[in-house]
Structures are given as C-alpha cells and as structure tokens.
Amino acid sequence: MKPVARLRRRAPAETGQWPDAVPPLLRRVYAARGATCVEQAQPRLTQLLPPDGMLGLDAATGLLADAIAAGRHIVVVGDFDCDGATACAVGVRGLRMLGAQRVSHAVPNRIVHGYGLSPALVDELAALQPDLLVTVDHGIACHAGIAAARGRGWQVLVTDHHLPGEHLPAADAIVDPNQPGDAFPSKMLAGVGVMFYVLLALRRRLRDAGAFGDGNGPDLSVLLDLVAVGTVADLVPLDANNRALVAAGLRRLRAGQGCAGLRALIEVSQRDYRRLTASDIGYALAPRLNAAGRLEDMALGIECLLTENAAQARDIASTLNEINAERRAVQQQMTDEAELAFARVAIDAAAMPMALCLFDGDWHPGVVGLVASKMKERLHRPVIAFAPAEPGSDHLRGSARSIPGFHIRDALADVAAQHPDLIERFGGHAMAAGLSLRLDAFDAFREAFEACARRILTPELLQADVLSDGGLEIGEFDRAHAESLRDGGPWGQGFPEPTFDLAFEVLSFRVLGEKHLKLVLRLEGRAEPLNAIHFNGWDGVPPPKHVLAAFKLEPDDYRGGDAIQLNVVYRESL
C-alpha cells in the first residue's frame, strides 16, 4: 500500500553558541527548532513571562481577594478532560494555599450536564450555595450557564484558553489570553496554565496588601507538576513559556515530589518516575485521567489529584487504570467500526472525501474524540466523529480533529455563518474542536463541512509529512546520546521530539501483539546490529530486505546497561 506520509528533512540551521555540556547532536536539533542558545532551548522558571498584560487579571484577582477576605464560598468548576481536571486541582489547591477557607469544586458529567458551565450544572450547584464560581478550561462559550449563575446572584470568574466567539459571556471577570485586546505575549497557555497565572497574580496582589507574614507568600511552584501534566495532555504548542512550565513540573515529578495522585498514576502506569518524560505524560498519565471523564465522571480523576493520602491515591489510580482499559476497548471497537464503514464508501485514496463526518448511534460520546484522532492519523484528513448526546437522544455531540493548514474551529465558524440553523454550539482550537447539533441536521452539516474542506484544502495539505532531523553518525548510536535526546526536552507540539532517518538492512523481524513489528537492523559501518520497534507497523506484509526508516533514538531501559533502541515512526522500501 502506498504510504500516506512522505519523509522530509528539516532545513539545516546555524547552531549558535552553546556550553560544552550540550552535545553537538543536541545543538543541531535545537537549532532546527529555532533555538540557538540554552536560554531558548531549555528555558527556566526565571524566564517565565510575567502576568502583566493579561487582560482581566485586575478584576479577577479583585474578585478572589475580596472573596478570601470575606470568607465567601468559592466553587472551582472544572472540565471533564485532563487539562480541566488539573486546572481544577491547581485552582483548589492554590486558593487554599493563598488563604481561602471555603473552597469547593465541581465538574460537569458529560452525559448529564453537557459541556462546561451549563444551566443544568448551575441548577445542581445551587445546593452548594456558592458565592463565586471560577471556571477553569472553559467558560468563554458558556453564555447561558453564566447568565443562569449570575441570575442566582453568584459572581462568575471565567478562566479559559479557548478561542472566543463573536461575543464574550457576561461574566464578572474573564481571563483568557485569546480574548480580544489581551496583550499577554503567549497565546499558547493551556487551561491549567491560565489558572496558574491567575494564582501568581493573586499572590502578588495579596503580598502587596501585606497578607503574608513572611512578606512572600506560599511557594506556588509546588503546583507545577499538575501544570505540566495538563499542558502536555492538552496538546498546546510548547513555546518557550510552556516549556519552562512543563520542564519545571517534570523536575518535580522526577524528584518524587509530585502530588500523591500523580505519583500513584505513574506507579500504576508502570513508569519510572526518575526518567519521566513529556511523552510518558501524554501516553500514560493523561489517558488514565481522561478515561474518568470519558466513560465515568471526572470527579474521580479530580479526587485523585486532590487527595493527600497515598493509600487513597493508589486506590483511585487503580480504578482509573481499570476504566482506561475499558475505554481502550470501547475506542478500539468504535475505530474498527468507523474504518469498516469508511471502507464501504471509499475504495481508494482518489475516492476519499477531503474531510470526514462519522456517526454511529451506538457510539459513546466520551470516546468520539479519540476515534476522530485515530482516523485523522490513519487518513490524514480532518475528521469529526459524532455520537448521541445520551442513549436514544436526537441531539449529537461531535469531536473534531484536524491537520496542519485547516483551522477546524474557523471551519466550524464558517459553516455556522453560512448555515445558521445547523450547529447548536461549538468551540475549540486550530487542531481540535467540539460541537453539538440535532440528529436531523447531520446530513446537511456533513455536506456543508465537506464543502468547506474542498474550498480550503489542497492535495499538498492532504499529504502528511514526517519531518526528520537528518542522519546520525555511527558514533552517535550510543546510550549517552540517547539519554541526552530524551532529557533535552520537554518535547511536544511545536517543539517535536528528535527524529532521524537512515537506510538499513533488515536482518530479521517478528510480529508483536498482532500489530507491532520488532526488527533487527544493520547499519553500514556499524558492527553491532540495532534493535528497533515499529509500533502499529505490521500491515500483513513482511518488510523488504532494505528500508529507509525514520526513527527516534531511545535508551532501552528494559534491557538496561548501555542498550539503545530505535523507535521507528516511518519506513519505506529501498
């Protein structure tokens, strides 16, 4: 089968000035990502952007400071994904550290309340008798819920990072770096990052008012383990500011200083906390937290992040691990069904629509985002997967995933502008979005969305690129270089993990778990063969004798010692 992807090498760049401790290979990798000095490549907390310029901070910190001083009841309203859960935990923990005596939290149930601060959730929150609601990782699109809360006499502070619509909600204060008029230099903060910045600004306000006996106030850096997990999980670009936050959080986790819940999740994920990477967060910790919000109730995930009891944390983490296993089974079934359904309507690439809308009445609304993501990766097309909002409902919830060059939220806005009656609500980012619509509007929406894709997408954009940092020297295939690459991050969106490409001879292979390939490769000029793994690389056809492979150089911790392994991400025959 013709590869969906193509291999391209990054353009070489001037490496700049570096201390001797940074190996030449890492300098080359950094330079290819626009970093020409240690301060750009490995930013520290001292380089963190100050809160100044973030619109709405004065009003937000005023609300919080007054609520703390008056002993009012503050309720932090989370969201049912990992960013929303960590942002909720940061909000609750941070406000308590800053002197709030009455802090509670709540989170919508995906099935019962829908997304964000909805009127249905407001009705349920009435039992808590809140004075101030603080939304985290949502709120910028929750017009009806905010109006309902203020109608009850509650104050509402919105902290969010999603792109706003044409009109802002009527909250008492809004902090969102993406709202019009905001001068904060980085627009890439995750929801948890926005909440952390609100706490930084609140501490400064309280400090200036003489609230702390030591003149400094609490050390909020203890929250950075949570900030790191939420930031990586939400796939926001890791610009220098986010890398500083994530790197600091990873340092805490590697030192065994993470909160009890994260330590338990690391343990149940069978990861070594001393070598934890951003990739481990993305592939091990975040899915277990997300699973609670997808199939059950994210309240369980937030409880895991808030508990101080190690035994309780382990019990909750074990439950989350079981839920995640169930989520994976549901996701696999749904993905298989989507691929089978697609195979019936598209025989080859030429017949493929430029964008896909998938729906099945038996799908679970909590897993459609993962289905959309899997199908997007498989076909390199924008994909929206829909499921009934609840069993038997005539309303659908959709989750969209996109490719570079196709801003999915803007595409939904374009459809909504041309067809005002199709979409009930939507929101999101360039690469991911969510929406809801009526079942009887699905066919019309699919037609309008595919038409939008045809106007914007080109054949070039529909060709996936695997970007390589070039080849490696024979002497760079060793444990020291593999560890320097692993520890030289954090790597992630916008600052991708180093990938290299070379030609190899395939000495042997075997299939693992019916879909992965274990390979033994020979590199010309190197005496010892190289062990390699290509996850999801088995397509039923044995690999040829000679291949061009793009790979990541990794320490092989399973074998230990000086062992290394190539993690193959792309291969083609030679």
Side-chain angles (χ1 to χ4, degrees):
M1 180 178 177
K2 185 179 179 181
V4 174
R6 63 184 172 190
L7 182 65
R8 290 200 302 115
R9 286 191 169 187
R10 300 179 190 277
E14 294 293 329
T15 57
Q17 299 295 317
W18 300 90
D20 293 340
V22 180
L25 174 60
L26 202 51
R27 301 177 198 181
R28 173 163 68 90
V29 168
Y30 285 147
R33 288 150 183 76
T36 57
C37 63
V38 170
E39 290 74 21
Q40 294 174 353
Q42 300 173 353
R44 310 291 287 189
L45 285 179
T46 53
Q47 299 168 242
L48 204 63
L49 293 170
D52 306 323
M54 193 174 283
L55 189 64
L57 272 184
D58 284 344
T61 56
L63 285 173
L64 292 168
D66 289 347
I68 291 172
R72 297 186 188 123
H73 188 193
I74 304 171
V75 177
V76 180
V77 185
D79 189 23
F80 40 61
D81 69 358
C82 188
D83 186 18
T86 53
C88 185
V90 164
V92 172
R93 286 178 175 271
L95 288 171
R96 289 173 178 167
M97 291 170 66
L98 292 168
Q101 297 298 311
R102 299 176 63 202
V103 183
S104 304
H105 69 279
V107 62
N109 182 291
R110 189 187 297 267
I111 302 296
V112 176
H113 306 110
Y115 169 77
L117 184 65
S118 63
L121 180 59
V122 168
D123 289 342
E124 191 168 302
L125 293 178
L128 296 177
Q129 296 183 311
D131 298 302
L132 170 62
L133 300 185
V134 179
T135 73
V136 290
D137 191 34
H138 72 279
I140 203 69
C142 298
H143 296 262
I146 291 171
R150 296 193 71 199
R152 291 178 176 269
W154 308 339
Q155 294 176 314
V156 180
L157 162 59
V158 168
T159 75
D160 201 352
H161 69 127
H162 293 95
L163 297 173
E166 186 177 353
H167 303 289
L168 296 177
D172 293 273
I174 298 175
V175 181
D176 183 335
N178 288 298
Q179 66 177 307
D182 186 281
F184 188 69
S186 172
K187 306 302 180 185
M188 307 303 181
L189 287 173
V192 68
V194 175
M195 187 64 226
F196 182 71
Y197 262 87
V198 170
L199 294 172
L200 291 178
L202 176 60
R203 182 181 61 179
R204 182 172 62 183
R205 186 184 191 116
L206 296 174
R207 178 191 295 151
D208 291 345
F212 307 121
D214 63 1
N216 295 314
D219 179 10
L220 296 177
S221 69
V222 300
L223 302 172
L224 287 172
D225 56 338
L226 294 163
V227 175
V229 170
T231 300
V232 171
D234 216 46
L235 300 178
V236 293
L238 293 188
D239 62 4
N241 203 61
N242 277 338
R243 290 206 313 283
L245 292 169
V246 172
L250 280 171
R251 286 194 294 273
R252 290 193 62 81
L253 290 167
R254 288 172 180 166
Q257 296 174 339
C259 67
L262 289 181
R263 295 199 308 271
L265 285 169
I266 293 169
E267 181 181 338
V268 80
S269 304
Q270 299 182 332
R271 294 302 198 270
D272 184 348
Y273 71 88
R274 295 164 297 183
R275 299 185 178 93
L276 200 74
T277 66
S279 180
D280 291 322
I281 291 175
Y283 288 104
L285 304 190
R288 285 166 172 80
L289 273 172
N290 273 329
R294 294 188 189 282
L295 294 187
E296 301 283 340
D297 186 345
M298 185 48 95
L300 184 65
I302 296 172
E303 184 181 355
C304 183
L305 301 179
L306 288 176
T307 183
E308 303 285 353
N309 185 293
Q312 183 184 26
R314 284 193 292 271
D315 287 344
I316 299 174
S318 178
T319 300
L320 292 174
N321 193 49
E322 293 171 1
I323 297 172
N324 187 55
E326 180 185 353
R327 184 273 306 168
R328 292 177 65 180
V330 172
Q331 173 194 339
Q332 187 60 56
Q333 178 183 347
M334 289 167 59
T335 303
D336 290 345
E337 290 171 356
E339 290 187 347
L340 286 172
F342 179 70
R344 289 195 292 267
V345 298
I347 305 303
D348 55 36
M352 244 189 256
M354 286 192 164
L356 297 175
C357 288
L358 307 171
F359 165 69
D360 191 298
D362 293 327
W363 283 356
H364 192 290
V367 191
V368 287
L370 296 171
V371 172
S373 181
K374 287 288 186 183
M375 294 298 290
K376 182 265 296 184
E377 292 171 5
R378 173 93 164 78
L379 302 168
H380 198 68
R381 298 284 196 278
V383 177
I384 308 180
F386 289 91
E390 55 187 70
S393 172
D394 59 356
H395 289 261
L396 305 182
R397 291 199 186 126
S399 192
R401 297 294 184 270
S402 194
I403 60 176
F406 189 78
H407 194 299
I408 192 68
R409 187 212 168 270
D410 286 356
L412 294 176
D414 181 64
V415 172
Q418 296 194 37
H419 307 275
D421 297 329
L422 283 183
I423 305 176
E424 294 180 330
R425 58 186 297 180
F426 68 93
H429 299 294
M431 303 300 286
L435 70 158
S436 60
L437 47 80
R438 301 182 315 278
L439 175 60
D440 59 15
F442 175 76
D443 290 335
F445 170 80
R446 177 173 56 191
E447 183 178 334
F449 180 66
E450 290 181 0
C452 177
R454 287 193 296 271
R455 290 194 301 270
I456 296 173
L457 289 170
T458 64
E460 291 73 24
L461 290 173
L462 294 174
Q463 179 71 65
D465 286 329
V466 176
L467 291 176
S468 166
D469 290 290
L472 287 176
E473 301 294 331
I474 297 295
E476 292 173 333
F477 283 90
D478 60 23
R479 180 86 180 195
H481 282 91
E483 289 181 347
S484 73
L485 292 170
R486 179 192 65 194
D487 300 335
W491 312 105
Q493 295 294 314
F495 204 77
E497 192 172 358
T499 301
F500 309 96
D501 73 275
L502 284 169
F504 298 95
E505 179 185 353
V506 179
L507 299 180
S508 65
F509 75 92
R510 58 190 175 94
V511 180
L512 301 178
E514 300 183 352
K515 59 182 180 179
H516 311 305
L517 266 185
K518 186 73 174 176
L519 302 151
V520 179
L521 305 176
R522 188 180 77 85
L523 177 65
E524 185 176 356
R526 191 178 193 272
E528 294 293 323
L530 291 158
N531 289 304
I533 183 77
H534 190 175
F535 292 108
N536 299 305
W538 174 244
D539 57 3
V541 179
K545 187 68 173 175
H546 297 278
V547 298
L548 174 65
F551 60 91
K552 299 170 184 176
L553 177 66
E554 300 176 342
D556 190 342
D557 293 326
Y558 179 77
R559 295 174 64 209
D562 295 330
I564 58 174
Q565 177 176 261
L566 308 188
N567 185 340
V568 176
V569 297
Y570 169 88
R571 73 178 198 275
E572 63 182 55
S573 60
L574 289 176

